[in-house]
Amino acid sequence: MTTRSSDGTPSCGRAAPLPRFYGPTPDTGRDSLWDELRERHGSIAPVELEPGVRAWLLLGYHENLTVLQNPHLFSRDTRRWREVLNGRIDLATARPALSWRPNVLYADGADHTRLRGPIVSALSRVDMAATARDVRRIADDLIDSFIADGEADLIGGFADPLPVLVLNRLYGLPDGYGHMLGDLTGIVFGDDARRAEDAMIRIQQYFAGLVARKRRKPGRDLASWMLEHANGLTDHEVAHQAALMNSAGHQPTTHLIGNTMRTLLTEERIRAAHSDARLSIRELLDHVMWTDTPFQVLPARFALQDVRIGDTEVRAGDALLIGFDPAHRDPAVRRGREETGVVRGARAHLMFGAGPHACPAHELARMIAATGVSALHERLVGLRPAVDPAGLRRVPSPFVRGLSALPVVFVPGEPLPPREPAVPANTDAGPTPPDEAHAPADDLLGRLFTWWRSLHR
């Protein structure tokens, strides 16, 4: 192993090119890279976030856990990053994962406590049983849209829209707004930077409009409950916390569903154990979160003082990327397989984080994923991949781990019989028909919806 200085260069000899965390990601992912970096550097390795902008990637399980659990040594506030303090990175123009927002994700200490309190309180008021019924109904509606075709893309047609439609209902809005938010979120994570910038502005309008509407007319929803919390968040702050719930909950849950379905479609031993009820959906999800975690790398923590990690001297202000996927592949915690084929002790996965920034909505995310996977498993008869699984393409993000598409075929079926429209849990408004006849409210959110609907006529 080579001892390095904090800028990632060897203390002697010629510097090797650093792995790039920008530009296209190989379709095969970065699995082999983690082992290569571990062999070369040990439990922490230098990488390049942007041309000339370096950071540390945590590869060891225990090293990741230590950084997550010690906020007095490692800050989540990107404004502490030396690259920002030296003027080399402008947070206003940095890509979203490396920017700064006035939400709990980027806060430390008392400010973190103040912002997190309303989120935790609001989530605790969600009727999980009623929401589970809502999730199943949304899942069934999505399946109904393609079940007669005998083929579908389980990412674009199911796993991607499901979480955002559920979150939209928890915000207390009709389903049409959820389809709009899903479209905008998809553009943000797409390849067109110009369209992504415009979509980000529209998403900010969605949440600003949501909070303005709930301030005028509170309901039984997450936004209203955060607005009434004793911590007294401003409307601007509530909008950013609500937006964080979407950004943190949508794509990871999408790829938890997608990665779980890929596992069921490609691993016969696990599929058989799940079909025979020897493997619960919870155990299956834990296995996927250990072996195919939707968050492979999470940016970032920033050292508040000089500290030694493994054989590396990390300087105050250095950025450290949380390596969930590398941590799960650490030989120090390598685990065998159960008789069902799943990894032993997979519940120790790090997908939902640890320490004060641990995800407060992990049970909600689990429930959405479990319900979605169960609905697909129960309703799609003869489900199998439509293409060679080896040719499936991964999303290009260096941070998210998932599939761009998961094409499948199955025995064509029948949609469920028509059901009476139900008022969803945690909202005062029923589903919005696709051809919504009435005009939406004449406020910011309503005008945004009118704009979006005009694009789909």
Side-chain angles (χ1 to χ4, degrees):
M1 189 185 327
T2 302
T3 302
R4 301 166 313 284
S5 64
S6 61
D7 67 357
T9 58
S11 56
C12 61
R14 186 175 180 180
L18 298 183
R20 295 179 175 180
F21 268 58
Y22 58 93
T25 300
D27 289 345
T28 54
R30 287 192 161 93
D31 294 358
S32 61
L33 176 62
W34 312 145
D35 293 337
E36 177 187 331
L37 290 177
R38 199 186 320 273
E39 177 69 22
R40 189 190 309 169
H41 300 286
S43 60
I44 177 173
V47 296
E48 196 170 49
L49 287 173
E50 302 286 356
V53 177
R54 295 173 173 181
W56 297 110
L57 173 63
L58 296 166
L59 300 167
Y61 182 91
H62 296 294
E63 286 76 10
N64 275 279
L65 197 58
T66 295
V67 170
L68 288 169
Q69 293 179 329
N70 287 280
H72 64 290
L73 293 176
F74 305 100
S75 171
R76 185 61 185 85
D77 191 338
T78 47
R79 295 172 297 183
R80 305 270 195 148
W81 190 7
R82 187 187 309 105
E83 301 288 342
V84 173
L85 297 174
N86 291 346
R88 297 183 64 201
I89 290 289
D90 181 359
L91 292 178
T93 59
R95 53 178 161 168
L98 300 171
S99 64
W100 181 87
R101 298 284 185 272
N103 66 44
V104 67
L105 183 63
Y106 299 98
D108 296 321
D111 198 33
H112 175 266
T113 301
R114 183 181 69 87
L115 294 173
R116 186 179 172 94
I119 297 174
V120 173
S121 176
L123 288 169
S124 72
R125 297 175 68 173
V126 171
D127 185 333
M128 290 293 283
T131 300
R133 293 191 293 271
D134 252 4
V135 176
R136 181 56 194 247
R137 189 182 184 99
I138 295 170
D140 281 331
D141 287 344
L142 291 170
I143 294 171
D144 284 345
S145 71
F146 58 71
I147 193 169
D149 300 332
E151 61 181 13
D153 168 17
L154 294 186
I155 303 298
F158 185 84
D160 191 51
L162 178 61
V164 73
L165 287 170
V166 174
L167 287 168
N168 178 78
R169 285 196 183 184
L170 291 173
Y171 297 142
L173 295 175
D175 289 350
Y177 292 86
H179 289 290
M180 173 180 68
L181 181 58
D183 275 1
L184 293 172
T185 304
I187 294 171
V188 168
F189 284 92
D191 297 329
D192 190 326
R194 180 181 239 169
R195 292 188 69 211
E197 185 176 349
D198 179 68
M200 183 62 73
I201 294 172
R202 303 285 184 181
I203 289 175
Q204 291 170 354
Q205 292 173 345
Y206 170 101
F207 287 105
L210 164 67
V211 171
R213 183 178 292 186
K214 295 302 177 178
R215 175 68 77 183
R216 290 193 306 273
K217 186 180 178 181
R220 294 175 293 113
D221 56 78
L222 293 174
S224 298
W225 292 331
M226 284 193 288
L227 282 168
E228 69 184 40
H229 192 271
N231 283 7
L233 269 58
T234 66
D235 288 11
H236 180 70
E237 288 174 327
V238 171
H240 276 279
Q241 310 323 304
L244 173 62
M245 290 184 185
N246 177 63
S247 62
H250 181 186
Q251 290 291 304
T253 308
T254 288
H255 294 302
L256 178 55
I257 296 170
N259 294 355
T260 301
M261 292 307 301
R262 186 203 63 78
T263 297
L264 288 173
L265 289 166
T266 59
E267 299 193 30
E268 174 60 34
R269 186 176 166 195
I270 290 178
R271 179 169 66 251
H274 183 58
S275 297
D276 295 344
R278 291 180 289 118
L279 176 62
S280 71
I281 185 63
R282 190 176 186 92
E283 291 171 318
L284 174 60
L285 291 177
D286 282 333
H287 168 79
V288 171
M289 286 187 278
W290 183 272
T291 61
D292 201 10
T293 179
F295 262 145
Q296 60 180 351
V297 173
L298 181 69
R301 295 296 190 272
F302 305 92
L304 295 175
Q305 63 187 53
D306 293 352
V307 61
R308 189 175 185 83
I309 301 178
D311 290 334
T312 298
E313 297 293 339
V314 174
R315 292 172 53 202
D318 282 358
L320 300 107
L321 304 180
I322 305 299
F324 290 157
D325 192 45
H328 294 167
R329 298 170 188 273
D330 184 351
V333 293
R334 184 167 291 157
R335 301 166 188 272
R337 297 262 179 161
E338 301 282 358
E339 182 272 334
T340 57
V342 300
V343 170
R344 292 191 183 98
R347 290 183 64 185
H349 64 78
L350 299 176
M351 177 176 159
F352 296 120
H357 280 279
C359 176
H362 59 93
E363 287 302 326
L364 177 62
R366 278 182 176 277
M367 183 266 284
I368 294 171
T371 304
V373 169
S374 296
L376 292 169
H377 184 69
E378 293 165 13
R379 294 194 59 195
L380 301 184
V381 178
L383 184 64
R384 64 186 189 277
V387 299
D388 182 352
L392 293 172
R393 295 180 59 240
R394 296 188 182 274
V395 294
S397 170
F399 305 115
V400 175
R401 179 185 174 92
L403 299 173
S404 297
L406 181 54
V408 296
V409 292
F410 46 87
V411 178
E414 295 292 330
L416 295 176
R419 293 157 288 173
E420 288 294 320
V423 176
N426 309 299
T427 181
D428 301 309
T432 306
D435 59 346
E436 183 185 33
H438 64 280
D442 186 21
D443 57 10
L444 174 60
L445 189 57
R447 292 192 295 273
L448 181 65
F449 185 70
T450 299
W451 163 82
W452 173 80
R453 194 172 51 166
S454 71
L455 302 178
H456 293 78
R457 284 176 176 163

